[in-house]
């Protein structure tokens, strides 16, 4: 670099108070690639007592650059191993179609159609008005972590201190940080299928191996403890449970969780990550049990939750992970180098959300009532259709429906319906309804339909789906 720009060496010129804003542009020369020293450099212009320093490097065409090697565009093996999220891709595609004027009904994204409750929104706006817009501590504000600890004790029967909680930019970030914190290359992450689309990819990002254990629609997509036990090895490091489940809506009963806990207790290396983001979107008589509340499981459980689903706060991007301090400190260390603390405004809103009362109070119960009404309508309607298998969800706001009886059928102007991917493409093309293929969740026989949409919207979508499938049925 010294020879490249030997003619461009310019020092700052002390002029007292006459010119306090001199910019020494030479300090930026290191940002340029190799530059020939014979290129012209314009140095300084003096106008009266005002001195302006400028440096312009003129890049002329030169044969010297003709033999430049092509840029290495290879990516990290970790990134190459990761698949993009189909739910995000389909949701984005449907949104683009809608913006282009195509009347698509979007039932792909897991996003409540309700507005954030006014009390929560007002708390966020007050945070802005009061200037609460600066960085917070990396792990989250003490106020919010204390509120989370109170919630977990009162609602989940698990006790933590604020230093055993890390608040992140959404529950998804909490999950990936937990996976990265505890998994080493070669470890195995046990994942029941159907699974949330990101779990296997998160394992791969940690250089761990996802081990997928299938479940059956006849068993409400619940993990068989015997299957779990037969697949555990000395490399098994993490079991991921999601209850209520995305994508199936299944809820693990306490008795089944106790059976799983007995198996986990036999394997000292095995930890459990319990994703409880849908815990309050649950339909009686089903009840939610936190895995960490079971005897002997507190020490080996990482509990992930958040505010997106229960409180209709998807855009606020706020979640958290709670667990033994050793693991949570590691999660915080990762976050300190990734994003640092979550939004100060969102954290103020979250405190208000947790102040609504047990399980979100009347505000949340009214949303759950609407979800249940929608679920019942879809269960009844799809149950009348030919060749459809349904496991009635006990929580969340998804139907995971077996449409495999339609595979192999010809659709005029489209081709053969080969699998869940082609069926979803067909429903988008012919029915203008966006849903997600079960292949994204590890079960190609099904498709996922989100009923986080108004009842009139669901009624319209159902009619479109029936109309699109009718030619296949008659064939």
């Amino acid at each position: 670099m010294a020879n490249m720009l030997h003619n461009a060496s310019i020092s700052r010129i002390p002029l007292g108070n006459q010119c306090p804003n001199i910019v020494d542009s030479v300090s930026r020369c290191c940002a340029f690639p190799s530059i020939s020293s014979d290129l012209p450099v314009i140095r300084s212009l003096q106008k009266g007592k005002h001195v302006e320093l400028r440096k312009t490097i003129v890049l002329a065409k030169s044969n010297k650059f003709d033999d430049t090697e092509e840029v290495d565009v290879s990516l990290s093996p970790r990134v190459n191993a990761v698949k993009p999220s189909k739910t995000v891709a389909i949701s984005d595609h449907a949104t683009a179609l809608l913006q282009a004027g195509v009347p698509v009904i979007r039932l792909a994204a897991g996003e409540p159609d309700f507005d954030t409750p006014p009390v929560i929104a007002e708390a966020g706006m007050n945070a802005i008005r009061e200037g609460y817009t600066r960085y917070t501590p990396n792990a989250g504000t003490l106020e919010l972590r204390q509120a989370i600890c109170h919630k977990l004790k009162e609602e989940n029967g698990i006790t933590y201190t604020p230093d055993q909680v890390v608040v992140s930019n959404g529950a998804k970030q909490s999950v990936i940080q937990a996976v990265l914190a505890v998994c080493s290359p070669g470890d195995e992450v046990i994942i029941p299928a159907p699974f949330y689309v990101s779990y296997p990819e998160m394992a791969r990002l940690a250089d761990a191996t996802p081990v997928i254990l299938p479940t059956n629609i006849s068993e409400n997509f619940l993990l068989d403890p015997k299957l779990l036990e037969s697949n555990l090895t000395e490399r098994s490091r993490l079991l991921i449970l999601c209850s209520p489940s995305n994508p199936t809506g299944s809820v693990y009963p306490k008795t089944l969780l106790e059976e799983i806990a007995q198996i986990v207790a036999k394997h000292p290396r095995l930890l459990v990550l319990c994703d409880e983001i849908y815990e309050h979107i649950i339909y009686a008589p089903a009840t939610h049990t936190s895995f960490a509340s079971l005897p002997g499981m507190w020490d080996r459980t990482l509990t992930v939750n958040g505010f997106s689903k229960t409180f209709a706060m998807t855009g606020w991007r706020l979640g958290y992970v709670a667990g033994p301090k050793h693991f949570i400190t590691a999660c915080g260390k990762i976050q300190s180098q990734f994003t640092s603390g979550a939004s100060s405004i969102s954290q103020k809103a979250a405190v208000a959300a947790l102040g609504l009362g047990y399980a979100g109070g009347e505000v949340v119960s009214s949303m759950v009532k609407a979800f249940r009404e929608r679920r019942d309508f879809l269960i009844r309607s799809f149950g009348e259709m030919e060749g459809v298998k349904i496991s009635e969800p006990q929580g969340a706001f998804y139907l995971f429906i077996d449409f495999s009886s339609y595979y192999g059928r010809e659709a005029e102007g489209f081709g053969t319906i080969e699998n869940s991917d082609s069926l979803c493409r067909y429903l988008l093309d012919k029915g203008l309804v966006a849903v997600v293929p079960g292949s994204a969740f590890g079960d190609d026989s099904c498709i996922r339909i989100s009923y986080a949409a108004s009842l009139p919207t669901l009624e319209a979508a159902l009619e479109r789906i029936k109309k699109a499938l009718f030619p296949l049925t008659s064939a």
Side-chain angles (χ1 to χ4, degrees):
M1 286 297 292
N3 291 330
M4 292 187 325
L5 295 176
H6 63 279
N7 291 325
S9 178
I10 304 176
S11 301
R12 290 187 180 274
I13 304 176
L15 296 177
N17 295 327
Q18 295 177 353
C19 187
N21 296 316
I22 296 176
V23 177
D24 186 1
S25 59
V26 175
S27 63
R28 305 186 181 206
C29 68
C30 60
F32 291 90
S34 297
I35 300 173
S36 173
S37 61
D38 58 359
L39 295 176
V41 176
I42 301 174
R43 297 204 187 178
S44 63
L45 301 175
Q46 182 168 343
K47 300 177 182 178
K49 294 182 178 179
H50 177 75
V51 175
E52 177 183 321
L53 291 185
R54 292 188 302 161
K55 186 192 69 166
T56 304
I57 299 177
V58 181
L59 296 178
K61 290 184 178 180
S62 170
N63 291 332
K64 296 178 182 178
F65 297 98
D66 289 348
D67 58 351
T68 302
E69 294 292 333
E70 291 185 4
V71 176
D72 182 351
V73 296
S74 60
L75 299 176
S76 160
R78 282 191 180 94
V79 175
N80 284 330
V82 172
K83 302 172 186 176
S85 169
K86 284 188 179 181
T87 55
V88 172
I90 292 171
S91 296
D92 288 349
H93 180 55
T95 299
L97 288 174
L98 199 62
Q99 291 172 344
V102 181
V104 173
I105 295 178
R106 296 173 294 177
L107 301 181
E111 182 170 35
D113 59 313
F114 300 103
D115 291 332
T116 301
V119 172
I120 300 174
E122 188 63 29
M125 289 186 283
N126 284 338
I128 297 172
R129 295 187 190 105
E130 296 167 6
Y132 198 78
T133 56
R134 299 186 180 277
Y135 292 139
T136 72
N138 177 63
T141 65
L142 180 60
E143 177 187 32
L144 178 54
R145 285 181 287 139
Q146 287 175 332
I148 290 170
C149 290
H150 177 76
K151 172 257 188 275
L152 290 172
K153 184 175 182 179
E154 293 297 313
E155 297 180 4
N156 304 86
I158 40 182
T159 301
Y160 298 102
T161 53
D163 60 353
Q164 294 170 326
V165 175
V166 168
V167 177
S168 303
N169 301 277
K172 182 183 286 190
Q173 181 180 346
S174 295
V175 174
I176 182 62
Q177 289 177 170
V179 173
L180 290 171
V182 304
C183 291
S184 301
D187 280 346
E188 295 176 346
V189 179
I190 313 300
I191 306 170
F195 45 72
Y196 173 54
V197 294
S198 296
Y199 294 155
E201 310 314 316
M202 290 173 174
R204 293 185 179 100
L205 282 172
D207 277 341
T209 302
V211 176
I212 309 302
L213 303 185
T215 63
N216 298 311
I217 192 170
S218 60
E219 300 296 326
N220 296 319
F221 296 113
L222 297 173
L223 176 63
D224 182 349
K226 294 179 181 179
L227 181 65
L228 171 64
E229 190 164 28
S230 65
N231 279 276
L232 293 178
T233 71
E234 68 279 358
R235 295 185 300 277
S236 301
R237 179 56 171 161
L238 190 64
L239 166 65
I240 299 182
L241 296 176
C242 182
S243 179
S245 165
N246 176 7
T248 67
S250 301
V251 175
Y252 278 80
K254 185 177 182 179
T255 52
L256 179 54
L257 289 178
E258 288 172 339
E259 287 186 60
I260 292 173
Q262 291 174 4
I263 295 169
V264 170
K266 300 175 185 177
H267 297 265
R269 287 200 74 234
L270 186 60
L271 305 174
V272 178
L273 189 152
C274 206
D275 185 343
E276 302 184 355
I277 190 72
Y278 296 95
E279 66 163 325
H280 290 318
I281 304 176
I282 198 165
Y283 314 116
T287 57
H288 174 72
T289 300
S290 286
F291 195 81
S293 69
L294 300 177
M297 292 298 107
W298 187 95
D299 288 329
R300 57 170 73 208
T301 303
L302 296 163
T303 300
V304 171
N305 209 321
F307 299 86
S308 295
K309 314 300 183 180
T310 297
F311 300 104
M313 294 176 64
T314 51
W316 298 78
R317 307 310 304 132
L318 206 66
Y320 58 88
V321 58
K325 186 177 179 179
H326 173 70
F327 299 127
I328 297 304
T329 299
C331 292
K333 184 191 299 184
I334 295 169
Q335 181 160 298
S336 73
Q337 300 294 357
F338 271 18
T339 63
S340 297
S343 163
S344 59
I345 300 160
S346 297
Q347 291 186 64
K348 277 292 187 182
V351 172
L354 294 179
L356 289 174
Y358 189 94
E362 181 59 31
V363 171
V364 173
S365 66
S366 63
M367 288 192 279
V368 173
K369 182 180 179 180
F371 286 136
R372 181 167 194 154
E373 182 182 7
R374 299 167 185 179
R375 179 203 67 166
D376 292 346
F377 164 73
L378 290 177
I379 289 289
R380 183 172 60 253
S381 300
F382 280 113
E384 297 171 350
M385 294 177 61
E386 176 188 333
V388 174
K389 297 178 184 178
I390 305 174
S391 170
E392 184 172 299
Q394 300 300 305
F397 38 67
Y398 308 107
L399 284 183
F400 202 62
I401 308 178
D402 187 333
F403 275 97
S404 59
S405 64
Y406 287 87
Y407 299 170
R409 303 191 187 188
E410 283 288 328
E412 185 178 352
F414 180 85
T416 304
I417 305 296
E418 298 176 345
N419 48 35
S420 62
D421 287 74
S422 57
L423 178 59
C424 288
R425 288 198 307 272
Y426 174 74
L427 291 176
L428 183 58
D429 290 349
K430 301 299 182 181
L432 297 181
V433 178
V435 293
V436 187
S439 60
F441 307 99
D443 188 338
D444 191 45
S445 63
C446 298
I447 65 173
R448 192 193 76 172
I449 296 175
S450 169
Y451 52 91
S454 69
L455 194 55
T457 299
L458 294 173
E459 291 171 346
L462 182 70
E463 288 305 312
R464 292 186 184 186
I465 291 173
K466 284 183 175 180
K467 186 176 180 180
L469 292 179
F470 180 75
L472 303 181
T473 306
S474 58

